Amino acid sequence: QVQLVESGGGVVQPGRSLRLSCAASGFTFSSYGMHWVRQAPGKGLEWVAVIWFDGSNKYYADSVKGRFTISRDNSKNTLYLQMNSLRTEDTAVYYCAKEGNDVLTGLNTGFDYWGQGTLVTVSS
Amino acid sequence: SYELTQPPSVSVSPGQTASITCSGDKLGDKYTYWYQQKPGQSPVLVIYQDTNRPSGIPERFSGSNSGNTATLTISGTQAMDETDYYCQAWDSSSVVFGGGTKLTVL
């Protein structure tokens, strides 16, 4: 079965860095786009970044552009999020999510699997 | 930047039909996706490409999208449906979520 397991969260001071990982299993990781989505305490979902199946394209939310970098290692079935210059407003649970697609049409079918999330707390 | 607007809360009586809306400029020209999130849990996809239900999602969940508004409809609402719902769409190469709607079943 599909599993996404995030790790790397913790407490970090403003201005410092942190790298999150998402270990994937149960599907052909190298065939799917992958995303990071975050949720601040008591708030809604906020999309962070996407990386295409082969790593050829990456896109970011304006709120993290220039500070966060999404990457993947298809040989290790692992997704990463490098977070630099962290701010207190980056405090959130960070989820990795798999992008589904219809095998017949190739159309996006939404985020069909999510990890359990990892909490990042930015505080002095 | 593109925005999706949801009502913060919707109330429904058990067994009745709940409708949760999601509004955005020309949203009907895009596909809309809906997620259910229960407290302390990760989101679950309940509708994709406006109207399709993933396997395992009850038939009482349905969706529509036209003009500037997409709607998630829950027929015969049950107590277990009381939780948060989020709409989502793509804008160019970015993903946008609505602010979320808390569904109360009372």
Side-chain angles (χ1 to χ4, degrees):
Chain A
Q1 73 282 20
V2 172
Q3 278 199 309
L4 299 171
V5 180
E6 301 96 335
S7 61
V11 180
V12 61
Q13 293 179 328
R16 304 297 290 266
S17 299
L18 206 60
R19 188 177 84 154
L20 306 182
S21 300
C22 170
S25 61
F27 66 103
T28 305
F29 181 71
S30 59
S31 296
Y32 294 90
M34 295 295 296
H35 298 249
W36 288 99
V37 177
R38 69 184 181 182
Q39 187 169 35
K43 303 297 185 182
L45 301 174
E46 180 187 14
W47 176 77
V48 173
V50 58
I51 184 168
W52 287 23
F53 68 101
D54 58 357
S56 60
N57 286 285
K58 308 171 186 181
Y59 300 95
Y60 300 90
D62 288 344
S63 58
V64 306
K65 201 172 295 182
R67 300 187 299 123
F68 290 11
T69 302
I70 189 171
S71 62
R72 66 191 297 160
D73 185 337
N74 285 345
S75 68
K76 296 182 177 180
N77 291 343
T78 303
L79 175 72
Y80 302 101
L81 184 68
Q82 177 66 43
M83 304 185 295
N84 298 333
S85 302
L86 281 162
R87 305 168 180 169
T88 54
E89 55 263 38
D90 295 319
T91 294
V93 173
Y94 285 73
Y95 297 99
C96 64
K98 170 185 170 290
E99 184 179 306
N101 60 60
D102 188 305
V103 294
L104 295 178
T105 66
L107 290 176
N108 186 288
T109 56
F111 299 151
D112 54 0
Y113 290 94
W114 297 66
Q116 85 288 350
T118 187
L119 176 62
V120 173
T121 303
V122 184
S123 173
S124 55
Chain B
S1 61
Y2 195 77
E3 293 185 358
L4 294 176
T5 301
Q6 299 180 235
S9 62
V10 168
S11 297
V12 63
S13 299
Q16 299 304 301
T17 297
S19 295
I20 299 174
T21 58
C22 175
S23 299
D25 185 48
K26 298 180 181 178
L27 183 57
D29 293 342
K30 307 176 187 292
Y31 280 128
T32 300
Y33 305 82
W34 290 93
Y35 301 87
Q36 176 193 69
Q37 187 182 30
K38 297 189 175 180
Q41 298 184 18
S42 303
V44 172
L45 178 69
V46 294
I47 293 289
Y48 68 93
Q49 292 174 9
D50 296 338
T51 62
N52 299 299
R53 274 179 295 104
S55 61
I57 300 302
E59 290 184 6
R60 64 180 181 275
F61 289 88
S62 63
S64 63
N65 187 12
S66 180
N68 295 321
T69 303
T71 303
L72 173 69
T73 302
I74 309 173
S75 305
T77 307
Q78 301 181 9
M80 68 172 64
D81 300 328
E82 180 170 286
T83 192
D84 297 327
Y85 293 86
Y86 296 89
C87 60
Q88 175 249 308
W90 283 84
D91 178 47
S92 184
S93 298
S94 298
V95 171
V96 182
F97 284 100
T101 298
K102 180 175 179 56
L103 178 66
T104 300
V105 182
L106 44 69

Short mmCIF file of all heavy atoms in Angstrom, two decimals, chain A residues 35 37 39 43-45 47 50 59 95 99 107-111 114-116, chain B residues 31 33 35 37 41-43 45 48-49 86 88 90 93-95 97-99:
data_model
loop_
_atom_site.label_atom_id
_atom_site.label_comp_id
_atom_site.label_asym_id
_atom_site.label_seq_id
_atom_site.Cartn_x
_atom_site.Cartn_y
_atom_site.Cartn_z
N HIS A 35 4.26 16.98 -3.87
CA HIS A 35 4.03 18.31 -3.32
C HIS A 35 4.34 18.36 -1.83
O HIS A 35 4.28 17.34 -1.14
CB HIS A 35 2.55 18.70 -3.48
CG HIS A 35 2.08 18.79 -4.89
ND1 HIS A 35 1.74 20.00 -5.47
CD2 HIS A 35 1.87 17.84 -5.82
CE1 HIS A 35 1.32 19.77 -6.71
NE2 HIS A 35 1.39 18.47 -6.94
N VAL A 37 2.63 20.53 1.35
CA VAL A 37 1.51 21.35 1.77
C VAL A 37 1.66 21.55 3.28
O VAL A 37 2.01 20.60 3.99
CB VAL A 37 0.16 20.67 1.46
CG1 VAL A 37 -1.01 21.52 1.98
CG2 VAL A 37 0.02 20.41 -0.03
N GLN A 39 0.20 23.39 7.13
CA GLN A 39 -0.99 23.83 7.86
C GLN A 39 -0.54 24.41 9.18
O GLN A 39 -0.08 23.68 10.06
CB GLN A 39 -1.95 22.67 8.08
CG GLN A 39 -3.27 23.05 8.67
CD GLN A 39 -4.28 21.91 8.62
OE1 GLN A 39 -3.92 20.74 8.76
NE2 GLN A 39 -5.56 22.24 8.41
N LYS A 43 -5.18 26.60 11.48
CA LYS A 43 -5.45 27.28 10.21
C LYS A 43 -5.72 26.28 9.09
O LYS A 43 -5.75 25.07 9.31
CB LYS A 43 -4.26 28.17 9.84
CG LYS A 43 -3.92 29.21 10.90
CD LYS A 43 -5.05 30.19 11.12
CE LYS A 43 -4.64 31.28 12.09
NZ LYS A 43 -5.74 32.24 12.36
N GLY A 44 -5.91 26.81 7.89
CA GLY A 44 -6.22 25.99 6.75
C GLY A 44 -4.98 25.46 6.04
O GLY A 44 -3.84 25.70 6.46
N LEU A 45 -5.23 24.75 4.95
CA LEU A 45 -4.14 24.18 4.17
C LEU A 45 -3.51 25.25 3.28
O LEU A 45 -4.21 26.08 2.71
CB LEU A 45 -4.68 23.05 3.29
CG LEU A 45 -5.34 21.88 4.01
CD1 LEU A 45 -5.95 20.91 3.01
CD2 LEU A 45 -4.34 21.16 4.90
N TRP A 47 -0.63 25.43 0.17
CA TRP A 47 0.31 24.75 -0.73
C TRP A 47 1.67 25.43 -0.66
O TRP A 47 1.76 26.66 -0.60
CB TRP A 47 -0.24 24.80 -2.15
CG TRP A 47 0.68 24.23 -3.17
CD1 TRP A 47 0.91 22.90 -3.42
CD2 TRP A 47 1.50 24.95 -4.10
NE1 TRP A 47 1.81 22.76 -4.46
CE2 TRP A 47 2.18 24.00 -4.88
CE3 TRP A 47 1.70 26.30 -4.34
CZ2 TRP A 47 3.07 24.37 -5.89
CZ3 TRP A 47 2.58 26.68 -5.35
CH2 TRP A 47 3.26 25.71 -6.11
N VAL A 50 5.80 22.18 -5.54
CA VAL A 50 5.61 20.97 -6.34
C VAL A 50 6.90 20.69 -7.10
O VAL A 50 7.63 21.61 -7.49
CB VAL A 50 4.43 21.12 -7.34
CG1 VAL A 50 4.64 22.30 -8.28
CG2 VAL A 50 4.22 19.83 -8.13
N TYR A 59 7.94 24.43 -8.68
CA TYR A 59 7.19 25.67 -8.51
C TYR A 59 6.91 25.87 -7.03
O TYR A 59 6.73 24.89 -6.30
CB TYR A 59 5.90 25.65 -9.31
CG TYR A 59 6.13 25.49 -10.80
CD1 TYR A 59 6.06 24.24 -11.40
CD2 TYR A 59 6.45 26.59 -11.59
CE1 TYR A 59 6.30 24.09 -12.75
CE2 TYR A 59 6.69 26.45 -12.95
CZ TYR A 59 6.62 25.19 -13.52
OH TYR A 59 6.87 25.04 -14.86
N TYR A 95 3.05 18.55 5.29
CA TYR A 95 2.66 17.28 4.69
C TYR A 95 3.30 17.12 3.32
O TYR A 95 3.35 18.09 2.54
CB TYR A 95 1.14 17.24 4.46
CG TYR A 95 0.26 17.31 5.68
CD1 TYR A 95 -0.33 18.51 6.06
CD2 TYR A 95 -0.01 16.17 6.44
CE1 TYR A 95 -1.17 18.58 7.16
CE2 TYR A 95 -0.86 16.23 7.54
CZ TYR A 95 -1.42 17.44 7.90
OH TYR A 95 -2.25 17.49 9.00
N GLU A 99 0.70 13.37 -6.10
CA GLU A 99 -0.23 13.86 -7.12
C GLU A 99 -0.69 12.67 -7.95
O GLU A 99 0.12 11.97 -8.55
CB GLU A 99 0.48 14.87 -8.00
CG GLU A 99 -0.36 15.54 -9.04
CD GLU A 99 0.48 16.55 -9.83
OE1 GLU A 99 1.10 17.43 -9.22
OE2 GLU A 99 0.51 16.43 -11.07
N LEU A 107 -4.72 13.17 -16.95
CA LEU A 107 -5.18 14.34 -16.20
C LEU A 107 -4.96 14.16 -14.70
O LEU A 107 -5.03 13.05 -14.17
CB LEU A 107 -6.68 14.57 -16.47
CG LEU A 107 -7.03 15.05 -17.87
CD1 LEU A 107 -8.54 15.14 -18.03
CD2 LEU A 107 -6.38 16.39 -18.19
N ASN A 108 -4.72 15.29 -14.06
CA ASN A 108 -4.49 15.31 -12.62
C ASN A 108 -5.74 14.85 -11.87
O ASN A 108 -6.85 15.29 -12.18
CB ASN A 108 -4.12 16.72 -12.21
CG ASN A 108 -3.72 16.82 -10.77
OD1 ASN A 108 -4.56 16.72 -9.88
ND2 ASN A 108 -2.45 17.02 -10.52
N THR A 109 -5.56 13.98 -10.91
CA THR A 109 -6.70 13.48 -10.12
C THR A 109 -6.60 13.90 -8.66
O THR A 109 -7.18 13.27 -7.78
CB THR A 109 -6.83 11.96 -10.24
OG1 THR A 109 -5.59 11.36 -9.84
CG2 THR A 109 -7.17 11.55 -11.66
N GLY A 110 -5.83 14.94 -8.40
CA GLY A 110 -5.77 15.46 -7.05
C GLY A 110 -4.67 14.83 -6.22
O GLY A 110 -3.92 13.98 -6.68
N PHE A 111 -4.62 15.25 -4.98
CA PHE A 111 -3.65 14.70 -4.04
C PHE A 111 -4.25 13.44 -3.44
O PHE A 111 -5.05 13.50 -2.51
CB PHE A 111 -3.31 15.71 -2.95
CG PHE A 111 -2.70 16.98 -3.48
CD1 PHE A 111 -2.88 18.18 -2.80
CD2 PHE A 111 -1.96 16.99 -4.63
CE1 PHE A 111 -2.32 19.36 -3.27
CE2 PHE A 111 -1.39 18.16 -5.11
CZ PHE A 111 -1.58 19.34 -4.42
N TRP A 114 -1.52 11.32 1.25
CA TRP A 114 -0.84 12.30 2.09
C TRP A 114 -0.06 11.56 3.17
O TRP A 114 -0.48 10.50 3.65
CB TRP A 114 -1.86 13.21 2.78
CG TRP A 114 -2.70 14.05 1.86
CD1 TRP A 114 -3.64 13.61 0.96
CD2 TRP A 114 -2.72 15.48 1.79
NE1 TRP A 114 -4.22 14.68 0.33
CE2 TRP A 114 -3.68 15.84 0.83
CE3 TRP A 114 -2.02 16.50 2.46
CZ2 TRP A 114 -3.96 17.18 0.51
CZ3 TRP A 114 -2.30 17.82 2.14
CH2 TRP A 114 -3.26 18.15 1.18
N GLY A 115 1.05 12.17 3.58
CA GLY A 115 1.74 11.65 4.75
C GLY A 115 1.03 12.08 6.02
O GLY A 115 0.01 12.77 5.98
N GLN A 116 1.60 11.69 7.14
CA GLN A 116 0.99 12.02 8.44
C GLN A 116 1.40 13.41 8.91
O GLN A 116 0.79 13.94 9.85
CB GLN A 116 1.39 10.97 9.49
CG GLN A 116 2.73 11.19 10.18
CD GLN A 116 3.93 10.93 9.28
OE1 GLN A 116 3.81 10.40 8.18
NE2 GLN A 116 5.11 11.29 9.77
N TYR B 31 -10.54 22.51 -13.11
CA TYR B 31 -11.02 21.39 -12.31
C TYR B 31 -10.91 21.77 -10.83
O TYR B 31 -9.94 22.39 -10.40
CB TYR B 31 -10.19 20.13 -12.57
CG TYR B 31 -10.58 19.39 -13.81
CD1 TYR B 31 -9.63 19.04 -14.76
CD2 TYR B 31 -11.90 19.02 -14.04
CE1 TYR B 31 -9.97 18.34 -15.90
CE2 TYR B 31 -12.26 18.31 -15.18
CZ TYR B 31 -11.29 17.98 -16.10
OH TYR B 31 -11.64 17.28 -17.23
N TYR B 33 -11.10 20.22 -6.80
CA TYR B 33 -10.88 19.04 -5.98
C TYR B 33 -11.34 19.37 -4.56
O TYR B 33 -11.23 20.52 -4.12
CB TYR B 33 -9.40 18.65 -5.98
CG TYR B 33 -8.84 18.46 -7.37
CD1 TYR B 33 -8.44 19.55 -8.12
CD2 TYR B 33 -8.74 17.19 -7.94
CE1 TYR B 33 -7.95 19.40 -9.42
CE2 TYR B 33 -8.26 17.03 -9.23
CZ TYR B 33 -7.87 18.13 -9.96
OH TYR B 33 -7.41 17.97 -11.24
N TYR B 35 -11.29 18.09 -0.35
CA TYR B 35 -10.65 17.27 0.67
C TYR B 35 -11.43 17.39 1.97
O TYR B 35 -11.92 18.46 2.33
CB TYR B 35 -9.20 17.72 0.89
CG TYR B 35 -8.37 17.64 -0.37
CD1 TYR B 35 -8.35 18.70 -1.27
CD2 TYR B 35 -7.67 16.49 -0.69
CE1 TYR B 35 -7.64 18.63 -2.45
CE2 TYR B 35 -6.94 16.40 -1.87
CZ TYR B 35 -6.94 17.47 -2.74
OH TYR B 35 -6.23 17.39 -3.92
N GLN B 37 -10.93 16.84 6.07
CA GLN B 37 -9.88 16.70 7.08
C GLN B 37 -10.50 16.64 8.46
O GLN B 37 -11.11 17.61 8.92
CB GLN B 37 -8.86 17.83 7.01
CG GLN B 37 -7.68 17.60 7.96
CD GLN B 37 -6.67 18.72 7.94
OE1 GLN B 37 -7.02 19.87 7.71
NE2 GLN B 37 -5.42 18.39 8.20
N GLN B 41 -5.89 14.60 11.79
CA GLN B 41 -5.61 13.67 10.71
C GLN B 41 -5.19 14.41 9.44
O GLN B 41 -5.38 15.62 9.31
CB GLN B 41 -6.85 12.81 10.41
CG GLN B 41 -7.28 11.94 11.58
CD GLN B 41 -8.44 11.03 11.22
OE1 GLN B 41 -8.72 10.79 10.05
NE2 GLN B 41 -9.11 10.51 12.23
N SER B 42 -4.62 13.68 8.51
CA SER B 42 -4.25 14.24 7.22
C SER B 42 -5.51 14.37 6.35
O SER B 42 -6.48 13.63 6.54
CB SER B 42 -3.23 13.34 6.53
OG SER B 42 -2.09 13.14 7.34
N PRO B 43 -5.47 15.29 5.40
CA PRO B 43 -6.62 15.43 4.50
C PRO B 43 -6.85 14.17 3.67
O PRO B 43 -5.91 13.41 3.40
CB PRO B 43 -6.22 16.61 3.61
CG PRO B 43 -5.20 17.36 4.40
CD PRO B 43 -4.45 16.31 5.17
N LEU B 45 -8.84 12.99 0.02
CA LEU B 45 -9.49 13.43 -1.21
C LEU B 45 -10.88 12.80 -1.30
O LEU B 45 -11.01 11.57 -1.20
CB LEU B 45 -8.65 13.00 -2.41
CG LEU B 45 -9.16 13.31 -3.81
CD1 LEU B 45 -9.13 14.81 -4.08
CD2 LEU B 45 -8.32 12.57 -4.86
N TYR B 48 -12.57 14.55 -7.10
CA TYR B 48 -11.55 15.06 -8.01
C TYR B 48 -12.16 15.38 -9.36
O TYR B 48 -13.19 14.82 -9.73
CB TYR B 48 -10.38 14.08 -8.14
CG TYR B 48 -10.69 12.77 -8.84
CD1 TYR B 48 -10.50 12.62 -10.21
CD2 TYR B 48 -11.17 11.68 -8.12
CE1 TYR B 48 -10.77 11.41 -10.84
CE2 TYR B 48 -11.45 10.48 -8.73
CZ TYR B 48 -11.24 10.35 -10.10
OH TYR B 48 -11.51 9.15 -10.72
N GLN B 49 -11.54 16.27 -10.09
CA GLN B 49 -12.02 16.71 -11.41
C GLN B 49 -13.51 17.06 -11.36
O GLN B 49 -14.30 16.58 -12.18
CB GLN B 49 -11.75 15.64 -12.46
CG GLN B 49 -10.27 15.45 -12.75
CD GLN B 49 -10.00 14.29 -13.69
OE1 GLN B 49 -10.91 13.72 -14.27
NE2 GLN B 49 -8.74 13.95 -13.84
N TYR B 86 -12.02 21.33 2.36
CA TYR B 86 -11.23 22.30 1.59
C TYR B 86 -11.41 22.05 0.09
O TYR B 86 -11.34 20.89 -0.35
CB TYR B 86 -9.75 22.19 1.91
CG TYR B 86 -9.40 22.54 3.34
CD1 TYR B 86 -9.41 21.56 4.33
CD2 TYR B 86 -9.07 23.83 3.71
CE1 TYR B 86 -9.09 21.85 5.64
CE2 TYR B 86 -8.75 24.15 5.02
CZ TYR B 86 -8.77 23.15 5.98
OH TYR B 86 -8.46 23.47 7.28
N GLN B 88 -9.83 22.91 -3.79
CA GLN B 88 -8.49 23.13 -4.35
C GLN B 88 -8.58 23.18 -5.86
O GLN B 88 -9.38 22.48 -6.48
CB GLN B 88 -7.56 22.00 -3.93
CG GLN B 88 -6.16 22.04 -4.53
CD GLN B 88 -5.92 20.93 -5.53
OE1 GLN B 88 -6.14 19.76 -5.24
NE2 GLN B 88 -5.41 21.28 -6.71
N TRP B 90 -5.95 24.28 -9.55
CA TRP B 90 -4.66 24.66 -10.09
C TRP B 90 -4.82 26.03 -10.77
O TRP B 90 -5.80 26.30 -11.46
CB TRP B 90 -4.18 23.66 -11.13
CG TRP B 90 -3.62 22.41 -10.57
CD1 TRP B 90 -4.31 21.30 -10.18
CD2 TRP B 90 -2.24 22.11 -10.36
NE1 TRP B 90 -3.44 20.33 -9.73
CE2 TRP B 90 -2.16 20.80 -9.83
CE3 TRP B 90 -1.06 22.82 -10.57
CZ2 TRP B 90 -0.96 20.19 -9.50
CZ3 TRP B 90 0.15 22.21 -10.25
CH2 TRP B 90 0.20 20.91 -9.73
N SER B 93 0.84 26.91 -12.86
CA SER B 93 1.62 25.81 -12.28
C SER B 93 1.59 25.80 -10.76
O SER B 93 2.38 25.09 -10.14
CB SER B 93 3.06 25.91 -12.76
OG SER B 93 3.14 25.79 -14.15
N SER B 94 0.69 26.57 -10.17
CA SER B 94 0.57 26.63 -8.72
C SER B 94 -0.74 26.01 -8.27
O SER B 94 -1.68 25.89 -9.04
CB SER B 94 0.62 28.08 -8.24
OG SER B 94 1.84 28.69 -8.58
N VAL B 95 -0.76 25.64 -7.03
CA VAL B 95 -1.95 25.04 -6.42
C VAL B 95 -2.55 26.05 -5.43
O VAL B 95 -1.82 26.72 -4.70
CB VAL B 95 -1.59 23.74 -5.69
CG1 VAL B 95 -2.77 23.23 -4.87
CG2 VAL B 95 -1.13 22.69 -6.70
N PHE B 97 -5.62 26.50 -2.44
CA PHE B 97 -6.64 25.93 -1.57
C PHE B 97 -7.60 27.03 -1.12
O PHE B 97 -7.20 28.18 -0.92
CB PHE B 97 -6.02 25.32 -0.31
CG PHE B 97 -5.34 24.00 -0.53
CD1 PHE B 97 -3.96 23.94 -0.67
CD2 PHE B 97 -6.07 22.82 -0.57
CE1 PHE B 97 -3.32 22.73 -0.87
CE2 PHE B 97 -5.45 21.61 -0.77
CZ PHE B 97 -4.06 21.57 -0.92
N GLY B 98 -8.84 26.65 -0.95
CA GLY B 98 -9.78 27.54 -0.28
C GLY B 98 -9.48 27.59 1.19
O GLY B 98 -8.70 26.79 1.71
N GLY B 99 -10.08 28.53 1.89
CA GLY B 99 -9.81 28.73 3.31
C GLY B 99 -10.39 27.66 4.21
O GLY B 99 -10.04 27.59 5.40
#
